[in-house]
Amino acid sequence: MIDPRCISRLNEAEEKRGPVIYWMSRDQRVQHNRALLFAQMKAKALGQPLRVVFTLASSFIGATYRQYHFMLEGLREIELLLGEMNIGFVLLQCSPQSGGPGKELEGYAGSSGAGCVVTDYSPLRISRQWKQQAAASLKVPLYEVDAHNIVPCHAASGKQEYAARTFRPKINRLLGEFLQPLQAVEAMPHRAELQKVNWREVFANLSVDRTVEPIDWLKPGERAAGEHLRRFISEKLPRYSELRNDPTAEGTSLLSAYLHFGQLSAAQVALEVQSSGAPEESKAAFLEELIVRRELSDNYCAHQEQYDAYEGLPGWARQSLEQHSLDPREALYSPQEFETAATHDRLWNAAQKELLHTGRIHGYMRMYWAKKILEWSPSPREAFETALWLNDRYALDGRDPNGYSGVAWSIGGLHDRPWFERPVYGKIRYMNASGCRRKFNVERYIAKQETG
Ligand SMILES: Cc1cc2nc3c(=O)[nH]c(=O)nc-3n(C[C@H](O)[C@H](O)[C@H](O)COP(=O)(O)OP(=O)(O)OC[C@H]3O[C@@H](n4cnc5c(N)ncnc54)[C@H](O)[C@@H]3O)c2cc1C
């Protein structure tokens, strides 16, 4: 049984006899997936086949080959896993002329005689638009199931939260009700007679920017994600609270790309972490990031229409930044100078090189990286745009609510409080290299990024 608070019905059309379609989008995994489980329950109750459909957009908020590659390798595995359970997988490659994923899905649902469609939840604008389009034109019901958040975004809070301190009690109040093991998705009784996806063609047909190359340090897919999680729990979680702010120690989980593509369920991560023998302090520190901070980001994007724009920043922060917008800067760089790691600061350049070459920046350095973009850009608005552009272009976990809120926190005081006023930053929390030196061996971090 899926808690009804996880489910929203997006249109009023009547159910028909026909296959149940799970329109997979943000939650790209088979197990521990509320949306797929809900679709399977419907299919079984109606005695109908179940199909999983992925509509591959021809572009997605500036995603490059690096991110498409990771995602498609994960989807390729999903086709195999589903095949073992007699569940068909269909990949619809949308051309720029096709009218977009919502239209494509509607066409497929019509031609395959679907009885109802289930999809997963995302607060991002583009995803909401696809669903609105599909909901308006589908002749069968469209259900949306929040399979990403542990406490469904709409149940957690009905408004934009000011800070983790206002959100935390709301989450904690409901956590016990939602953080429950899910039953497994099971094999369907009849084989799905569907054509296999021609993956070679899918990769070849991609018309995205291929100059940003795939990474090879993290294996994509649901199975690899599970193995990675278990290694993290046994090897790193016990010292998470001690080492997480040291970029040379690699003490964090490196799970964000798996979570971003939904190749891993946050609920499953939380359950496995809770039941591990790691010290309570480390478990609590990790679960604060995984649950409170991560779900606070979805809350931000769900309730702030301008989550990816300077205008979305809190009023006090914008006012303060604007009062300091003409302050002299220690240095000024263009977006291209930032991109090519050509600043005067070896530590900043090292973080940017980490991003360029590995598709990530350690969480602690990510804050420093964004704050220096604020310090060395001609205006706070340009800083916001540059940081978001670089993050989304190069980071494997980019275009995530965490990215929008992370940039807005660093540059625009989102979910933070006003600090002592200082040049350029105004009342935004400041960070400098001396602070980094006190936390970790900066030279070791720089050397690591310079030698690759
Ligand atoms: C400027 C800036 C940009 C960022 N861009 C992104 C982004 O594009 N995508 C992204 O997923 N995260 C982003 N973050 C948040 C955070 O830096 C990463 O989630 C984290 O570094 C990922 O590494 P990890 O999986 O080893 O984290 P861990 O420390 O192991 O944390 C576990 C999980 O908790 C969540 N989490 C951790 N820190 C945060 C946080 N501050 N806010 C929200 N959730 C958090 C992530 O899902 C993460 O995988 C950004 C932060 C900043 C300051």
Side-chain angles (χ1 to χ4, degrees), residues 2 6-11 15 18-27 33-44 46 49-55 105 108-109 114-121 131 134-135 138 140-147:
I2 309 284
C6 302
I7 305 164
S8 313
R9 191 164 168 166
L10 303 185
N11 63 359
E15 225 153 67
V20 174
I21 291 181
Y22 167 33
W23 181 18
M24 177 181 274
S25 183
R26 192 188 193 195
D27 290 283
N33 182 339
R34 278 180 195 141
L36 177 53
L37 190 59
F38 177 70
Q40 176 160 68
M41 287 170 168
K42 279 224 153 280
K44 283 188 170 171
L46 298 167
L50 171 62
R51 285 182 197 165
V52 175
V53 175
F54 192 91
T55 45
L105 186 274
Y108 180 81
C116 77
V117 179
V118 177
T119 191
D120 46 46
Y121 170 78
K131 284 175 206 163
L138 273 170
V140 293
L142 176 61
Y143 298 94
E144 181 185 66
V145 182
D146 191 339

Short mmCIF file of all heavy atoms in Angstrom, two decimals, residues 2 6-11 15 18-27 33-44 46 49-55 105 108-109 114-121 131 134-135 138 140-147:
data_model
loop_
_atom_site.label_atom_id
_atom_site.label_comp_id
_atom_site.label_asym_id
_atom_site.label_seq_id
_atom_site.Cartn_x
_atom_site.Cartn_y
_atom_site.Cartn_z
N ILE A 2 0.60 2.17 -0.91
CA ILE A 2 1.35 3.42 -0.95
C ILE A 2 0.53 4.47 -0.20
O ILE A 2 -0.67 4.62 -0.46
CB ILE A 2 1.55 3.91 -2.41
CG1 ILE A 2 2.11 2.80 -3.31
CG2 ILE A 2 2.40 5.18 -2.46
CD1 ILE A 2 3.54 2.50 -3.17
N CYS A 6 1.29 10.50 -0.87
CA CYS A 6 2.37 10.54 -1.87
C CYS A 6 1.81 10.73 -3.28
O CYS A 6 2.57 10.91 -4.24
CB CYS A 6 3.16 9.22 -1.86
SG CYS A 6 3.88 8.80 -0.28
N ILE A 7 0.49 10.60 -3.42
CA ILE A 7 -0.10 10.51 -4.77
C ILE A 7 -0.98 11.72 -5.07
O ILE A 7 -1.80 12.12 -4.24
CB ILE A 7 -0.98 9.23 -4.87
CG1 ILE A 7 -0.14 8.00 -4.48
CG2 ILE A 7 -1.56 9.07 -6.27
CD1 ILE A 7 -0.98 6.78 -4.17
N SER A 8 -0.82 12.30 -6.25
CA SER A 8 -1.74 13.36 -6.70
C SER A 8 -2.32 12.93 -8.05
O SER A 8 -1.60 12.37 -8.88
CB SER A 8 -1.01 14.69 -6.95
OG SER A 8 -0.17 14.99 -5.89
N ARG A 9 -3.57 13.26 -8.24
CA ARG A 9 -4.18 12.97 -9.56
C ARG A 9 -4.15 14.26 -10.36
O ARG A 9 -4.63 15.30 -9.90
CB ARG A 9 -5.60 12.46 -9.35
CG ARG A 9 -6.14 11.91 -10.62
CD ARG A 9 -7.35 11.07 -10.40
NE ARG A 9 -7.94 10.84 -11.72
CZ ARG A 9 -8.85 9.95 -11.96
NH1 ARG A 9 -9.30 9.18 -11.00
NH2 ARG A 9 -9.33 9.81 -13.18
N LEU A 10 -3.56 14.22 -11.56
CA LEU A 10 -3.33 15.47 -12.30
C LEU A 10 -4.40 15.79 -13.33
O LEU A 10 -4.36 16.84 -13.94
CB LEU A 10 -1.95 15.43 -12.98
CG LEU A 10 -0.74 15.20 -12.05
CD1 LEU A 10 0.56 15.30 -12.85
CD2 LEU A 10 -0.72 16.19 -10.89
N ASN A 11 -5.34 14.86 -13.54
CA ASN A 11 -6.47 15.17 -14.44
C ASN A 11 -7.70 14.38 -14.02
O ASN A 11 -7.63 13.59 -13.07
CB ASN A 11 -6.10 14.89 -15.91
CG ASN A 11 -5.82 13.42 -16.14
OD1 ASN A 11 -5.87 12.60 -15.23
ND2 ASN A 11 -5.51 13.08 -17.38
N GLU A 15 -10.57 6.05 -16.05
CA GLU A 15 -9.72 4.90 -16.30
C GLU A 15 -10.34 4.03 -17.41
O GLU A 15 -11.56 3.92 -17.49
CB GLU A 15 -9.63 4.07 -15.01
CG GLU A 15 -8.22 3.63 -14.69
CD GLU A 15 -8.04 3.44 -13.20
OE1 GLU A 15 -8.66 2.52 -12.65
OE2 GLU A 15 -7.29 4.23 -12.60
N GLY A 18 -6.71 -1.33 -20.37
CA GLY A 18 -5.52 -1.22 -21.22
C GLY A 18 -4.28 -1.21 -20.33
O GLY A 18 -4.40 -1.08 -19.11
N PRO A 19 -3.10 -1.33 -20.94
CA PRO A 19 -1.86 -1.39 -20.16
C PRO A 19 -1.70 -0.18 -19.25
O PRO A 19 -2.13 0.92 -19.58
CB PRO A 19 -0.76 -1.39 -21.23
CG PRO A 19 -1.42 -1.69 -22.51
CD PRO A 19 -2.87 -1.36 -22.38
N VAL A 20 -1.09 -0.42 -18.09
CA VAL A 20 -0.74 0.68 -17.19
C VAL A 20 0.66 1.13 -17.55
O VAL A 20 1.57 0.31 -17.70
CB VAL A 20 -0.82 0.24 -15.71
CG1 VAL A 20 -0.33 1.34 -14.79
CG2 VAL A 20 -2.26 -0.16 -15.36
N ILE A 21 0.81 2.44 -17.69
CA ILE A 21 2.12 2.98 -18.07
C ILE A 21 2.73 3.72 -16.90
O ILE A 21 2.08 4.57 -16.29
CB ILE A 21 1.98 3.94 -19.27
CG1 ILE A 21 1.59 3.14 -20.51
CG2 ILE A 21 3.27 4.71 -19.51
CD1 ILE A 21 1.43 3.99 -21.73
N TYR A 22 3.97 3.36 -16.57
CA TYR A 22 4.73 4.21 -15.65
C TYR A 22 5.63 5.09 -16.51
O TYR A 22 6.56 4.62 -17.15
CB TYR A 22 5.56 3.36 -14.66
CG TYR A 22 6.59 4.17 -13.89
CD1 TYR A 22 6.36 5.51 -13.53
CD2 TYR A 22 7.80 3.61 -13.50
CE1 TYR A 22 7.31 6.25 -12.83
CE2 TYR A 22 8.75 4.34 -12.80
CZ TYR A 22 8.50 5.66 -12.47
OH TYR A 22 9.44 6.39 -11.79
N TRP A 23 5.32 6.37 -16.53
CA TRP A 23 6.12 7.37 -17.27
C TRP A 23 7.27 7.77 -16.34
O TRP A 23 7.13 8.64 -15.51
CB TRP A 23 5.21 8.56 -17.61
CG TRP A 23 5.85 9.66 -18.39
CD1 TRP A 23 6.99 9.61 -19.12
CD2 TRP A 23 5.34 10.99 -18.53
NE1 TRP A 23 7.25 10.82 -19.70
CE2 TRP A 23 6.23 11.69 -19.35
CE3 TRP A 23 4.22 11.66 -18.05
CZ2 TRP A 23 6.05 13.03 -19.69
CZ3 TRP A 23 4.02 12.99 -18.37
CH2 TRP A 23 4.93 13.67 -19.19
N MET A 24 8.38 7.06 -16.48
CA MET A 24 9.52 7.27 -15.59
C MET A 24 10.23 8.56 -15.96
O MET A 24 10.46 8.84 -17.13
CB MET A 24 10.48 6.08 -15.75
CG MET A 24 11.73 6.17 -14.94
SD MET A 24 12.79 4.72 -15.24
CE MET A 24 12.14 3.56 -14.08
N SER A 25 10.56 9.34 -14.96
CA SER A 25 11.28 10.56 -15.28
C SER A 25 12.41 10.81 -14.28
O SER A 25 13.57 10.57 -14.56
CB SER A 25 10.29 11.73 -15.31
OG SER A 25 10.94 12.90 -15.69
N ARG A 26 12.06 11.24 -13.08
CA ARG A 26 13.10 11.60 -12.12
C ARG A 26 13.63 10.40 -11.34
O ARG A 26 14.75 10.43 -10.84
CB ARG A 26 12.51 12.61 -11.13
CG ARG A 26 13.51 13.31 -10.26
CD ARG A 26 12.79 14.13 -9.22
NE ARG A 26 13.66 15.05 -8.54
CZ ARG A 26 13.33 15.66 -7.41
NH1 ARG A 26 12.14 15.47 -6.88
NH2 ARG A 26 14.17 16.46 -6.81
N ASP A 27 12.83 9.36 -11.24
CA ASP A 27 13.20 8.22 -10.40
C ASP A 27 13.53 7.02 -11.27
O ASP A 27 12.68 6.17 -11.54
CB ASP A 27 12.08 7.95 -9.38
CG ASP A 27 12.08 9.07 -8.37
OD1 ASP A 27 12.95 9.06 -7.50
OD2 ASP A 27 11.26 10.00 -8.51
N ASN A 33 10.95 2.13 -5.42
CA ASN A 33 10.41 3.22 -6.24
C ASN A 33 8.88 3.21 -6.07
O ASN A 33 8.19 2.38 -6.66
CB ASN A 33 10.81 3.00 -7.71
CG ASN A 33 10.31 4.12 -8.60
OD1 ASN A 33 9.37 4.85 -8.24
ND2 ASN A 33 10.92 4.26 -9.76
N ARG A 34 8.40 4.17 -5.26
CA ARG A 34 6.96 4.22 -4.99
C ARG A 34 6.11 4.33 -6.25
O ARG A 34 5.01 3.78 -6.34
CB ARG A 34 6.62 5.46 -4.15
CG ARG A 34 6.85 5.34 -2.68
CD ARG A 34 6.46 6.69 -2.06
NE ARG A 34 6.95 6.82 -0.72
CZ ARG A 34 7.44 7.96 -0.22
NH1 ARG A 34 7.51 9.04 -0.96
NH2 ARG A 34 7.84 8.01 1.03
N ALA A 35 6.61 5.08 -7.24
CA ALA A 35 5.80 5.32 -8.44
C ALA A 35 5.64 4.03 -9.25
O ALA A 35 4.53 3.70 -9.70
CB ALA A 35 6.42 6.42 -9.29
N LEU A 36 6.74 3.30 -9.41
CA LEU A 36 6.65 2.04 -10.16
C LEU A 36 5.80 1.03 -9.39
O LEU A 36 4.99 0.31 -9.98
CB LEU A 36 8.06 1.50 -10.44
CG LEU A 36 8.13 0.16 -11.16
CD1 LEU A 36 7.33 0.14 -12.45
CD2 LEU A 36 9.59 -0.22 -11.46
N LEU A 37 5.98 1.00 -8.08
CA LEU A 37 5.20 0.06 -7.28
C LEU A 37 3.70 0.38 -7.37
O LEU A 37 2.87 -0.53 -7.53
CB LEU A 37 5.67 0.14 -5.82
CG LEU A 37 5.13 -0.93 -4.88
CD1 LEU A 37 5.50 -2.33 -5.36
CD2 LEU A 37 5.67 -0.70 -3.47
N PHE A 38 3.38 1.66 -7.33
CA PHE A 38 1.98 2.06 -7.45
C PHE A 38 1.42 1.63 -8.82
O PHE A 38 0.32 1.10 -8.94
CB PHE A 38 1.86 3.58 -7.27
CG PHE A 38 0.46 4.12 -7.44
CD1 PHE A 38 -0.53 3.85 -6.50
CD2 PHE A 38 0.13 4.90 -8.54
CE1 PHE A 38 -1.82 4.35 -6.65
CE2 PHE A 38 -1.16 5.40 -8.71
CZ PHE A 38 -2.13 5.12 -7.77
N ALA A 39 2.23 1.85 -9.87
CA ALA A 39 1.79 1.45 -11.23
C ALA A 39 1.59 -0.06 -11.27
O ALA A 39 0.61 -0.55 -11.86
CB ALA A 39 2.82 1.90 -12.26
N GLN A 40 2.51 -0.80 -10.65
CA GLN A 40 2.36 -2.26 -10.67
C GLN A 40 1.10 -2.69 -9.92
O GLN A 40 0.39 -3.60 -10.35
CB GLN A 40 3.59 -2.94 -10.08
CG GLN A 40 3.40 -4.44 -10.02
CD GLN A 40 4.67 -5.22 -9.90
OE1 GLN A 40 5.34 -5.17 -8.88
NE2 GLN A 40 5.04 -5.94 -10.95
N MET A 41 0.84 -2.05 -8.79
CA MET A 41 -0.37 -2.41 -8.03
C MET A 41 -1.61 -2.18 -8.88
O MET A 41 -2.55 -2.98 -8.89
CB MET A 41 -0.46 -1.57 -6.75
CG MET A 41 0.54 -2.01 -5.70
SD MET A 41 0.56 -0.81 -4.36
CE MET A 41 1.49 -1.73 -3.15
N LYS A 42 -1.62 -1.07 -9.61
CA LYS A 42 -2.77 -0.77 -10.47
C LYS A 42 -2.89 -1.83 -11.55
O LYS A 42 -3.98 -2.35 -11.82
CB LYS A 42 -2.59 0.60 -11.14
CG LYS A 42 -2.94 1.76 -10.27
CD LYS A 42 -3.76 2.79 -11.07
CE LYS A 42 -4.68 3.60 -10.22
NZ LYS A 42 -5.93 3.00 -9.84
N ALA A 43 -1.75 -2.15 -12.19
CA ALA A 43 -1.78 -3.13 -13.29
C ALA A 43 -2.31 -4.46 -12.78
O ALA A 43 -3.14 -5.11 -13.43
CB ALA A 43 -0.37 -3.28 -13.87
N LYS A 44 -1.85 -4.87 -11.61
CA LYS A 44 -2.29 -6.17 -11.08
C LYS A 44 -3.77 -6.13 -10.73
O LYS A 44 -4.51 -7.06 -11.03
CB LYS A 44 -1.47 -6.52 -9.84
CG LYS A 44 -0.08 -7.03 -10.21
CD LYS A 44 0.62 -7.56 -8.97
CE LYS A 44 1.88 -8.29 -9.37
NZ LYS A 44 2.70 -8.64 -8.21
N LEU A 46 -6.03 -4.35 -12.05
CA LEU A 46 -6.86 -4.28 -13.27
C LEU A 46 -6.62 -5.48 -14.19
O LEU A 46 -7.25 -5.58 -15.25
CB LEU A 46 -6.55 -2.97 -14.03
CG LEU A 46 -6.84 -1.66 -13.29
CD1 LEU A 46 -6.21 -0.48 -14.00
CD2 LEU A 46 -8.35 -1.46 -13.14
N PRO A 49 -1.24 -5.46 -18.43
CA PRO A 49 0.23 -5.42 -18.45
C PRO A 49 0.77 -4.07 -17.94
O PRO A 49 0.03 -3.08 -17.91
CB PRO A 49 0.58 -5.60 -19.93
CG PRO A 49 -0.69 -5.70 -20.68
CD PRO A 49 -1.84 -5.47 -19.76
N LEU A 50 2.03 -4.08 -17.57
CA LEU A 50 2.69 -2.87 -17.07
C LEU A 50 3.83 -2.53 -18.02
O LEU A 50 4.62 -3.40 -18.40
CB LEU A 50 3.23 -3.16 -15.66
CG LEU A 50 4.14 -2.12 -15.02
CD1 LEU A 50 3.40 -0.79 -14.83
CD2 LEU A 50 4.64 -2.63 -13.66
N ARG A 51 3.91 -1.26 -18.38
CA ARG A 51 5.02 -0.81 -19.23
C ARG A 51 5.68 0.40 -18.60
O ARG A 51 4.97 1.25 -18.04
CB ARG A 51 4.52 -0.39 -20.60
CG ARG A 51 4.19 -1.57 -21.42
CD ARG A 51 3.74 -1.18 -22.78
NE ARG A 51 3.07 -2.34 -23.35
CZ ARG A 51 2.29 -2.31 -24.41
NH1 ARG A 51 2.09 -1.16 -25.01
NH2 ARG A 51 1.74 -3.38 -24.87
N VAL A 52 6.98 0.48 -18.75
CA VAL A 52 7.70 1.66 -18.28
C VAL A 52 8.15 2.44 -19.51
O VAL A 52 8.78 1.87 -20.42
CB VAL A 52 8.92 1.25 -17.41
CG1 VAL A 52 9.72 2.48 -17.03
CG2 VAL A 52 8.44 0.51 -16.16
N VAL A 53 7.77 3.71 -19.57
CA VAL A 53 8.10 4.54 -20.73
C VAL A 53 9.00 5.69 -20.28
O VAL A 53 8.70 6.37 -19.28
CB VAL A 53 6.82 5.11 -21.38
CG1 VAL A 53 7.16 6.06 -22.52
CG2 VAL A 53 5.93 3.98 -21.87
N PHE A 54 10.09 5.88 -21.00
CA PHE A 54 10.95 7.04 -20.71
C PHE A 54 10.96 7.92 -21.95
O PHE A 54 11.27 7.46 -23.04
CB PHE A 54 12.38 6.58 -20.38
CG PHE A 54 13.21 7.69 -19.81
CD1 PHE A 54 13.26 7.91 -18.43
CD2 PHE A 54 13.92 8.55 -20.64
CE1 PHE A 54 14.00 8.95 -17.89
CE2 PHE A 54 14.66 9.60 -20.11
CZ PHE A 54 14.70 9.79 -18.74
N THR A 55 10.60 9.19 -21.78
CA THR A 55 10.61 10.10 -22.92
C THR A 55 11.91 10.89 -22.87
O THR A 55 12.12 11.70 -21.97
CB THR A 55 9.40 11.07 -22.86
OG1 THR A 55 9.28 11.57 -21.54
CG2 THR A 55 8.11 10.40 -23.26
N LEU A 105 4.44 11.41 -24.93
CA LEU A 105 3.83 10.42 -24.03
C LEU A 105 2.35 10.24 -24.36
O LEU A 105 1.84 9.12 -24.43
CB LEU A 105 4.03 10.90 -22.58
CG LEU A 105 3.61 10.02 -21.41
CD1 LEU A 105 2.17 10.15 -21.02
CD2 LEU A 105 3.98 8.54 -21.61
N TYR A 108 1.95 8.13 -27.37
CA TYR A 108 2.21 6.71 -27.10
C TYR A 108 1.05 6.09 -26.32
O TYR A 108 0.60 4.98 -26.62
CB TYR A 108 3.53 6.53 -26.33
CG TYR A 108 3.80 5.08 -26.05
CD1 TYR A 108 4.34 4.26 -27.04
CD2 TYR A 108 3.46 4.51 -24.83
CE1 TYR A 108 4.54 2.90 -26.81
CE2 TYR A 108 3.65 3.16 -24.60
CZ TYR A 108 4.20 2.37 -25.59
OH TYR A 108 4.39 1.03 -25.36
N ALA A 109 0.56 6.83 -25.32
CA ALA A 109 -0.54 6.29 -24.50
C ALA A 109 -1.75 6.02 -25.39
O ALA A 109 -2.41 4.99 -25.27
CB ALA A 109 -0.90 7.28 -23.39
N ALA A 114 -3.42 2.71 -23.67
CA ALA A 114 -3.17 2.68 -22.22
C ALA A 114 -4.44 2.91 -21.43
O ALA A 114 -5.33 3.65 -21.84
CB ALA A 114 -2.13 3.75 -21.87
N GLY A 115 -4.47 2.29 -20.23
CA GLY A 115 -5.63 2.46 -19.35
C GLY A 115 -5.44 3.56 -18.34
O GLY A 115 -6.39 4.22 -17.93
N CYS A 116 -4.22 3.76 -17.92
CA CYS A 116 -3.89 4.91 -17.06
C CYS A 116 -2.38 5.10 -17.05
O CYS A 116 -1.63 4.21 -17.47
CB CYS A 116 -4.45 4.76 -15.65
SG CYS A 116 -3.56 3.66 -14.60
N VAL A 117 -1.96 6.29 -16.63
CA VAL A 117 -0.53 6.63 -16.62
C VAL A 117 -0.15 7.10 -15.22
O VAL A 117 -0.88 7.86 -14.59
CB VAL A 117 -0.21 7.75 -17.65
CG1 VAL A 117 1.27 8.12 -17.63
CG2 VAL A 117 -0.64 7.34 -19.06
N VAL A 118 1.02 6.61 -14.78
CA VAL A 118 1.55 7.02 -13.48
C VAL A 118 2.91 7.66 -13.74
O VAL A 118 3.67 7.17 -14.57
CB VAL A 118 1.76 5.77 -12.58
CG1 VAL A 118 2.39 6.16 -11.25
CG2 VAL A 118 0.44 5.04 -12.35
N THR A 119 3.19 8.74 -13.06
CA THR A 119 4.53 9.33 -13.23
C THR A 119 5.10 9.69 -11.86
O THR A 119 4.42 9.58 -10.84
CB THR A 119 4.49 10.54 -14.19
OG1 THR A 119 5.84 10.91 -14.52
CG2 THR A 119 3.77 11.75 -13.59
N ASP A 120 6.37 10.10 -11.85
CA ASP A 120 6.98 10.47 -10.57
C ASP A 120 7.01 11.98 -10.42
O ASP A 120 6.62 12.72 -11.33
CB ASP A 120 8.36 9.80 -10.41
CG ASP A 120 9.22 9.91 -11.64
OD1 ASP A 120 9.30 11.02 -12.21
OD2 ASP A 120 9.82 8.89 -12.06
N TYR A 121 7.53 12.44 -9.28
CA TYR A 121 7.39 13.86 -8.93
C TYR A 121 8.71 14.62 -9.09
O TYR A 121 9.78 14.13 -8.72
CB TYR A 121 6.93 13.97 -7.47
CG TYR A 121 6.99 15.39 -6.94
CD1 TYR A 121 6.02 16.32 -7.28
CD2 TYR A 121 8.05 15.80 -6.13
CE1 TYR A 121 6.09 17.63 -6.83
CE2 TYR A 121 8.13 17.11 -5.66
CZ TYR A 121 7.14 18.01 -6.02
OH TYR A 121 7.22 19.32 -5.58
N LYS A 131 4.20 17.62 -17.60
CA LYS A 131 3.05 16.91 -16.99
C LYS A 131 1.74 17.65 -17.24
O LYS A 131 0.71 17.02 -17.48
CB LYS A 131 3.29 16.73 -15.50
CG LYS A 131 4.29 15.64 -15.23
CD LYS A 131 4.58 15.56 -13.76
CE LYS A 131 5.94 14.98 -13.55
NZ LYS A 131 6.43 15.26 -12.21
N ALA A 134 0.70 16.84 -20.68
CA ALA A 134 0.18 15.47 -20.79
C ALA A 134 -1.18 15.37 -20.11
O ALA A 134 -2.12 14.76 -20.64
CB ALA A 134 1.17 14.49 -20.17
N ALA A 135 -1.31 15.97 -18.92
CA ALA A 135 -2.56 15.88 -18.16
C ALA A 135 -3.72 16.46 -18.95
O ALA A 135 -4.83 15.93 -18.94
CB ALA A 135 -2.43 16.59 -16.82
N LEU A 138 -4.23 13.87 -22.23
CA LEU A 138 -4.45 12.42 -22.07
C LEU A 138 -5.94 12.11 -21.90
O LEU A 138 -6.66 12.86 -21.23
CB LEU A 138 -3.73 11.91 -20.82
CG LEU A 138 -2.27 11.48 -20.96
CD1 LEU A 138 -1.66 11.25 -19.59
CD2 LEU A 138 -2.14 10.24 -21.84
N VAL A 140 -6.86 9.38 -20.44
CA VAL A 140 -6.89 8.46 -19.28
C VAL A 140 -6.27 9.19 -18.09
O VAL A 140 -5.59 10.22 -18.27
CB VAL A 140 -6.13 7.15 -19.60
CG1 VAL A 140 -6.84 6.35 -20.66
CG2 VAL A 140 -4.68 7.44 -20.00
N PRO A 141 -6.47 8.68 -16.86
CA PRO A 141 -5.93 9.39 -15.71
C PRO A 141 -4.40 9.46 -15.68
O PRO A 141 -3.73 8.55 -16.14
CB PRO A 141 -6.42 8.55 -14.51
CG PRO A 141 -7.48 7.66 -15.02
CD PRO A 141 -7.24 7.48 -16.49
N LEU A 142 -3.90 10.57 -15.15
CA LEU A 142 -2.46 10.72 -14.91
C LEU A 142 -2.27 10.92 -13.41
O LEU A 142 -2.78 11.88 -12.82
CB LEU A 142 -1.92 11.94 -15.68
CG LEU A 142 -0.44 12.28 -15.45
CD1 LEU A 142 0.48 11.13 -15.87
CD2 LEU A 142 -0.04 13.54 -16.24
N TYR A 143 -1.55 9.98 -12.81
CA TYR A 143 -1.26 10.06 -11.37
C TYR A 143 0.21 10.45 -11.20
O TYR A 143 1.07 9.93 -11.92
CB TYR A 143 -1.45 8.70 -10.69
CG TYR A 143 -2.86 8.17 -10.75
CD1 TYR A 143 -3.24 7.29 -11.76
CD2 TYR A 143 -3.78 8.51 -9.78
CE1 TYR A 143 -4.53 6.78 -11.81
CE2 TYR A 143 -5.08 8.01 -9.81
CZ TYR A 143 -5.44 7.15 -10.84
OH TYR A 143 -6.73 6.64 -10.88
N GLU A 144 0.47 11.29 -10.21
CA GLU A 144 1.86 11.65 -9.90
C GLU A 144 2.17 11.12 -8.50
O GLU A 144 1.42 11.38 -7.56
CB GLU A 144 2.01 13.17 -9.92
CG GLU A 144 3.42 13.64 -9.64
CD GLU A 144 3.45 15.17 -9.55
OE1 GLU A 144 2.84 15.73 -8.61
OE2 GLU A 144 4.09 15.79 -10.40
N VAL A 145 3.29 10.40 -8.40
CA VAL A 145 3.66 9.81 -7.11
C VAL A 145 5.03 10.35 -6.70
O VAL A 145 5.99 10.24 -7.47
CB VAL A 145 3.72 8.26 -7.21
CG1 VAL A 145 4.07 7.65 -5.86
CG2 VAL A 145 2.41 7.71 -7.73
N ASP A 146 5.13 10.93 -5.51
CA ASP A 146 6.43 11.44 -5.07
C ASP A 146 7.29 10.26 -4.60
O ASP A 146 7.11 9.72 -3.50
CB ASP A 146 6.27 12.47 -3.94
CG ASP A 146 7.58 13.20 -3.64
OD1 ASP A 146 8.64 12.67 -4.00
OD2 ASP A 146 7.53 14.30 -3.05
N ALA A 147 8.19 9.85 -5.48
CA ALA A 147 9.05 8.71 -5.20
C ALA A 147 10.46 9.19 -4.85
O ALA A 147 11.37 8.39 -4.70
CB ALA A 147 9.10 7.80 -6.42
#
